Amino acid sequence: MQAIKITAHGGTDGIEYGEYPNPEVGRNDVLVDVKAGALNHLDVWVRRGLPTLDLELPHVPGSDAAGVVEAVGEDVSRFEPGDRVAVTAGVNCGHCEFCRSGDPTLCVNFHLLGEHVTGVHSEYAAVPEDNLIPVPEHVDWITAGASSLVFQTAWRMLIDRADIEAGEKVLVLGASGGVGHAALQIADYAGAEVYATGSTEEKLQYAREHGADHVVNYEEQNFAEWVRSETGNRGVDVVVDYIGAGTWRDSIKSLAKNGRLVTCGGTAGGNPETDIPRIFWNQLQIIGSTMGSPGQVDDVMELVWDGTFTPAIREVLPMSQTARAHEIIEGREGFGKVVVRPDSEL
């Protein structure tokens, strides 16, 4: 089969699209004929190389995809050939204390398809049954292949971890990114007063159209000062910050007393300077969040399938142009997700 392959860590010249062995289907696996997938910033980090990852190269990346079931392993009970499915990338052991307590995202062996193990950006992918969800007939492949990771991540961050309530003030940084544009829609759906940052008027206009009540161009104005001005020096109740080093101190400054900063990553750096005096004096909460539980995935994807939430698509490219997809993400071009499809599908 044809697959995207990372052949060397570093720049985009380490990305190839070509022959790769057909996947082996285990007893609990489903063989998926992939119709579309989407990139996340995670794919950029995997390509560059992470000190905590020791991958065998070439490595097939990709944590988001959707397609048609081609075959199933002998112990699979939820799916059969011809079913439409989408990937949910979090893998857990199922038997540690955290899995047994009902929250597999806390699994001591939690890992992601495409990051720690073979991903799904290929013509065919063998995926554990538990890592698939049904896709309704009316949902197009682009939507199905682009939504799972960012919407489940943003849903868990805001609805579960930050536990936002209607009427609260929520600041979403990087509202044009994958997680950012999902968080924007979810905060609006929950009845929050939504503040959003972006770097161009086009991005700010999109944010307005998808739930933002207040927007600021962070290239032109310090967003923490703007938040203080907009809120009468009160601050916001919740900040969604997946950017990290470049925004962390201003995120903390943007919070009201007893505010919550919720994070799922650090795309601009994972070791920022912080502000401990402000944290303890204002009794702030710093909350981590990773992916979503199966129930949370079901809840949020139902709202994607019925059109309540919509993934923004920056570009749809053949998998042979995945290097260009990485450039779009790294260059912060456009709004939302970059989708790749097997060349054979185009």
Side-chain angles (χ1 to χ4, degrees):
M1 69 173 182
Q2 300 287 302
I4 298 170
K5 300 178 288 186
I6 296 174
T7 59
H9 292 301
T12 55
D13 54 350
I15 302 172
E16 296 181 7
Y17 183 66
E19 289 292 328
Y20 193 82
N22 290 328
E24 297 182 4
V25 181
R27 299 176 65 94
N28 298 300
D29 291 341
V30 174
L31 183 65
V32 179
D33 178 358
V34 175
K35 301 301 182 183
L39 273 74
N40 298 283
H41 209 97
L42 172 64
D43 294 291
V44 173
W45 288 114
V46 171
R47 186 207 78 218
R48 291 176 181 172
L50 292 167
T52 56
L53 282 181
D54 184 17
L55 296 174
E56 181 179 344
L57 300 179
H59 172 73
V60 176
S63 302
D64 267 328
V68 177
V69 174
E70 181 81 7
V72 299
E74 56 192 279
D75 290 342
V76 170
S77 60
R78 293 174 52 230
F79 300 103
E80 59 186 32
D83 286 349
R84 293 161 51 91
V85 293
V87 172
T88 176
V91 182
N92 63 83
C93 72
H95 54 74
C96 72
E97 61 175 300
F98 300 104
C99 287
R100 292 198 308 272
S101 70
D103 194 345
T105 67
L106 296 172
C107 176
V108 296
N109 293 309
F110 193 74
H111 58 280
L112 299 182
L113 301 176
E115 179 180 12
H116 307 90
V117 295
T118 301
V120 292
H121 286 176
S122 49
E123 289 184 312
Y124 293 92
V127 181
E129 177 183 23
D130 289 344
N131 289 96
L132 293 172
I133 55 175
V135 175
E137 287 290 337
H138 71 274
V139 177
D140 66 86
W141 289 124
I142 303 301
T143 297
S147 302
S148 173
L149 190 144
V150 295
F151 277 98
Q152 69 175 280
T153 298
W155 183 266
R156 180 177 174 87
M157 289 174 77
L158 287 168
I159 302 302
D160 177 66
R161 301 291 289 148
D163 193 21
I164 62 172
E165 297 180 359
E168 286 193 308
K169 301 177 187 298
V170 175
L171 170 64
V172 178
L173 302 186
S176 65
V179 171
H181 92 292
L184 186 73
Q185 296 177 62
I186 291 167
D188 179 55
Y189 171 83
E193 183 176 357
V194 184
Y195 297 72
T197 71
S199 60
T200 68
E201 180 53 38
E202 179 184 11
K203 292 177 180 179
L204 296 179
Q205 183 57 36
Y206 184 95
R208 294 186 190 98
E209 293 170 357
H210 289 79
D213 301 293
H214 314 271
V215 298
V216 68
N217 187 326
Y218 64 82
E219 299 278 10
E220 299 176 353
Q221 187 174 358
N222 177 274
F223 72 82
E225 294 176 358
W226 169 76
V227 164
R228 289 287 168 181
S229 174
E230 289 287 311
T231 61
N233 206 39
R234 175 189 183 273
V236 295
D237 300 290
V238 174
V239 175
V240 174
D241 186 343
Y242 60 90
I243 298 168
T247 55
W248 194 258
R249 289 183 67 92
D250 282 334
S251 289
I252 292 171
K253 290 178 182 177
S254 299
L255 286 168
K257 293 272 190 174
N258 201 36
R260 293 100 76 197
L261 190 162
V262 61
T263 181
C264 66
T267 58
N271 293 290
E273 290 186 10
T274 192
D275 188 346
I276 292 175
R278 188 182 292 267
I279 291 171
F280 73 72
W281 191 253
N282 288 348
Q283 302 185 59
L284 307 179
Q285 301 175 55
I286 308 298
I287 304 169
S289 188
T290 296
M291 298 295 284
S293 69
Q296 290 161 355
V297 172
D298 290 344
D299 288 345
V300 73
M301 293 308 292
E302 282 300 318
L303 294 168
V304 174
W305 302 151
D306 73 11
T308 301
F309 302 143
T310 305
I313 306 301
R314 306 189 205 194
E315 191 93 43
V316 179
L317 297 170
M319 285 188 176
S320 58
Q321 294 182 25
T322 296
R324 172 58 185 149
H326 280 243
E327 292 171 356
I328 292 171
I329 292 173
E330 291 181 289
R332 295 182 298 160
E333 300 176 30
F335 202 106
K337 302 299 297 285
V338 181
V339 172
V340 290
R341 305 191 70 182
D343 287 41
S344 57
E345 292 292 330
L346 299 173

